[in-house]
Amino acid sequence: MDNLLANTPVDIPVKPRVLIADDSRIVRATLIKHIEGMFEFREALDGEEAWETLLIDPNIRVVITDLTMPKLDGYGLLQRIRKSKISRIRNMPVVVVSGSDEQEERERAKAFGATDLITKGIGTAQLLSRLDILSKLVNTQQEFERGLESLVRNGNPAANLTSLAALESQAD
């Protein structure tokens, strides 16, 4: 039994998964070409399919979405994500990809909860850098939440600190 465990890898590195929602096959293929190798990916042809994919795949770390899609557009998808009762989905970074660089469109996407906005002609290095930062942010948030849950579950006195005075009292 010990021999079997000795040959089992302890830490298997897993590539972060990105969901690409765009009705244009060419745009999806271009984005995939940029991220292949560094990220896993899933594709959705519209916002409705993207929403269903988010619900069933807990390994998605970042969403890249177009704004103009059939069935459910990018704004509707953003709205569903930000109002989700599932915190993993509600807090997920969403990158809006757009063909235009209009300020009004950018402001509207931000108002709907977009984390970042990119243009369809973005370079590979810049896209990879942004996605890497966002996926690491998600991992850090999840680790933080697990740590807090562990503190509360294990009855750690630090979990019951509600004020600076309580913290100073515990420190003494």
Side-chain angles (χ1 to χ4, degrees):
M1 184 76 160
D2 287 336
N3 200 12
L4 179 66
L5 292 175
N7 293 328
T8 305
V10 177
D11 230 357
I12 301 171
V14 178
K15 295 176 191 170
R17 186 169 300 155
V18 175
L19 172 61
I20 301 170
D22 198 307
D23 58 325
S24 167
R25 186 181 58 78
I26 293 169
V27 172
R28 288 192 321 273
T30 302
L31 289 168
I32 289 166
K33 184 179 171 193
H34 285 315
I35 69 171
E36 253 180 337
M38 195 164 160
F39 294 90
E40 288 184 2
F41 59 89
R42 293 200 58 172
E43 298 177 67
L45 305 178
D46 57 58
E48 195 64 51
E49 186 180 340
W51 176 248
E52 291 169 8
T53 303
L54 282 171
L55 291 173
I56 63 170
D57 189 345
N59 296 315
I60 294 170
R61 295 287 176 259
V62 180
V63 174
I64 299 175
T65 185
D66 188 18
L67 291 174
T68 54
M69 296 181 288
K71 293 186 184 177
L72 180 67
D73 67 10
Y75 296 111
L77 178 60
L78 270 165
Q79 200 167 28
R80 279 193 192 174
I81 289 171
R82 295 302 175 230
K83 290 183 178 182
S84 175
K85 293 180 180 176
I86 304 167
S87 65
R88 154 186 80 77
I89 295 174
R90 186 177 56 248
N91 299 323
M92 186 169 297
V94 180
V95 177
V96 169
V97 62
S98 174
S100 83
D101 204 14
E102 281 186 36
Q103 188 62 29
E104 185 179 314
E105 186 178 83
R106 298 175 74 81
E107 288 172 9
R108 184 172 180 218
K110 283 284 192 186
F112 273 76
T115 310
D116 196 3
L117 292 102
I118 59 174
T119 56
K120 291 185 179 178
I122 191 170
T124 302
Q126 189 178 14
L127 178 61
L128 288 175
S129 173
R130 288 179 181 198
L131 292 177
D132 185 46
I133 288 167
L134 292 172
S135 66
K136 285 178 180 171
L137 175 64
V138 170
N139 289 340
T140 302
Q141 286 173 330
Q142 288 176 345
E143 286 174 26
F144 178 72
E145 288 171 9
R146 281 193 297 271
L148 283 178
E149 287 171 5
S150 175
L151 284 173
V152 170
R153 211 177 15 234
N154 295 329
N156 187 319
N160 297 322
L161 299 178
T162 55
S163 68
L164 183 56
L167 175 64
E168 290 171 347
S169 171
Q170 282 289 333
D172 289 340

